[in-house]
Amino acid sequence: MSTLPIQTNIESSPKSFKNQPEDFEFVEPDISDIITEDDTPVDNLITEKQQRLLTTTLYSSFSTDLQFLATANVGLFYGNKIPPLVPDVLLSLRVKVPEDWSQKQNRSYFVFSFGKPPEIAIEIVSNKIGNELGSKLQDYAFAAVGYYVVFDPLKQLGETILRVYELRGNSYVELGNFYLSQVGLGLTIWHGIFEGKEYDWLRWCDDSGNILLTGDERAEQEKQRAEQEKQRAEQEKQRAEQEKQRADRLAELLRERGINPDELL
């Protein structure tokens, strides 16, 4: 994604502002000259749908007691006079969505405002000029993002479609698996249909590999479960009716032979 220009001072390096000494006094920087929205469109249909698939499934199916923020194509402001990063998908845990969106600092992800860097940033590669495996990887490490994910569905950067990096110290280490243990989420390539398009989609999953469902998928799952329950109830009703019919027929045969079936009990 493209970066946005920045012309004023903010915190020179990303860090948490929530665990400072009692005498620490943070002066909120002036961000009036910072451009936080430039209305640049996303790259293509793949990116747009993929962004939505990843963010909506978190809100519909991510099982966690923590407050979180999942965004698509929102600026990550993390340094002094440093152009912000604009990840295709961003996930930050233990943060509260600001209530007043009329304030500029509440419409983008300013590290000084949220008090911490995000846990995950995902870049969806659409061309060879984004430098996702070069300078951008270094930039996300400097921004202290816990996990950096590069999804390359068109294989612009090589044959590897998915790469996951974990921040250790000040640099990233590429993981041999796609489970993000510090977050409790995994990633997987899922071949299926999303919004009418059959494709190899990047999906969230749990530690057993079960994908997190979209709202529509959950609704369809509940519909199928309700239909199965209805069928089971209907089958039970039919079995009960058949049992009653057999009992009535047996009682009729006994009466024909002069036996009162009620006296047999």
Side-chain angles (χ1 to χ4, degrees):
M1 306 302 297
S2 61
T3 56
L4 302 173
I6 181 170
Q7 298 91 14
T8 191
N9 294 350
I10 62 175
E11 185 65 18
S12 60
S13 62
K15 60 183 179 181
S16 172
F17 295 93
K18 295 180 179 179
N19 299 312
Q20 300 293 343
E22 293 183 0
D23 58 351
F24 173 78
E25 182 178 355
F26 172 70
V27 179
E28 186 170 306
D30 178 13
I31 62 171
S32 58
D33 293 333
I34 295 179
I35 300 174
T36 58
E37 302 110 318
D38 65 358
D39 297 322
T40 301
V42 296
D43 299 274
N44 50 52
L45 289 173
I46 299 173
T47 300
E48 190 276 333
K49 284 186 176 293
Q50 184 65 79
Q51 289 173 340
R52 196 147 33 82
L53 176 58
L54 288 168
T55 54
T56 57
T57 50
L58 288 172
Y59 285 107
S60 63
S61 298
F62 184 23
S63 180
T64 178
D65 295 329
L66 302 175
Q67 288 185 312
F68 67 88
L69 173 67
T71 68
N73 202 25
V74 170
L76 166 59
F77 292 82
Y78 65 97
N80 178 27
K81 293 185 177 180
I82 301 175
L85 295 163
V86 188
D88 287 293
V89 175
L90 175 152
L91 172 62
S92 186
L93 304 179
R94 300 179 183 86
V95 295
K96 184 178 180 180
V97 178
E99 295 182 0
D100 185 3
W101 283 357
S102 68
Q103 301 299 312
K104 180 180 287 189
Q105 69 268 23
N106 293 340
R107 297 199 299 270
S108 295
Y109 197 102
F110 286 91
V111 171
F112 78 81
S113 181
F114 282 91
K116 57 179 287 293
E119 273 72 18
I120 303 174
I122 299 177
E123 288 285 347
I124 302 169
V125 181
S126 57
N127 53 52
K128 297 181 179 180
I129 63 176
N131 211 13
E132 284 84 2
L133 301 180
S135 61
K136 191 169 287 187
L137 185 146
Q138 297 173 1
D139 290 341
Y140 278 108
F142 182 70
V145 176
Y147 291 96
Y148 174 54
V149 179
V150 178
F151 179 48
D152 187 12
L154 302 177
K155 298 183 178 180
Q156 296 288 322
L157 306 179
E159 292 301 311
T160 303
I161 294 178
L162 180 61
R163 295 176 174 89
V164 177
Y165 300 88
E166 182 178 29
L167 188 65
R168 297 179 185 174
N170 296 321
S171 60
Y172 282 120
V173 174
E174 185 170 1
L175 300 181
N177 63 75
F178 304 140
Y179 187 69
L180 290 59
S181 59
Q182 299 301 315
V183 181
L185 283 170
L187 287 163
T188 187
I189 304 298
W190 173 81
H191 185 84
I193 298 175
F194 173 62
E195 295 185 347
K197 175 62 177 176
E198 184 176 359
Y199 198 65
D200 289 329
W201 300 101
L202 181 62
R203 300 288 300 261
W204 301 107
C205 64
D206 61 20
D207 57 357
S208 298
N210 302 307
I211 63 170
L212 272 61
L213 301 179
T214 65
D216 288 343
E217 288 170 336
R218 289 174 66 90
E220 180 61 27
Q221 188 180 73
E222 288 300 319
K223 179 181 177 181
Q224 292 177 359
R225 186 179 294 113
E227 183 62 30
Q228 291 171 353
E229 185 61 33
K230 179 181 178 181
Q231 291 175 358
R232 283 193 294 268
E234 184 63 29
Q235 291 170 354
E236 185 61 33
K237 179 181 178 182
Q238 291 176 357
R239 282 194 294 269
E241 290 176 350
Q242 291 170 355
E243 288 295 328
K244 184 178 183 301
Q245 290 173 0
R246 282 194 292 268
D248 291 344
R249 178 55 180 164
L250 177 59
E252 182 181 351
L253 291 173
L254 290 172
R255 291 190 183 96
E256 289 176 353
R257 290 167 172 74
I259 302 172
N260 185 352
D262 295 333
E263 295 178 354
L264 297 176
L265 300 177

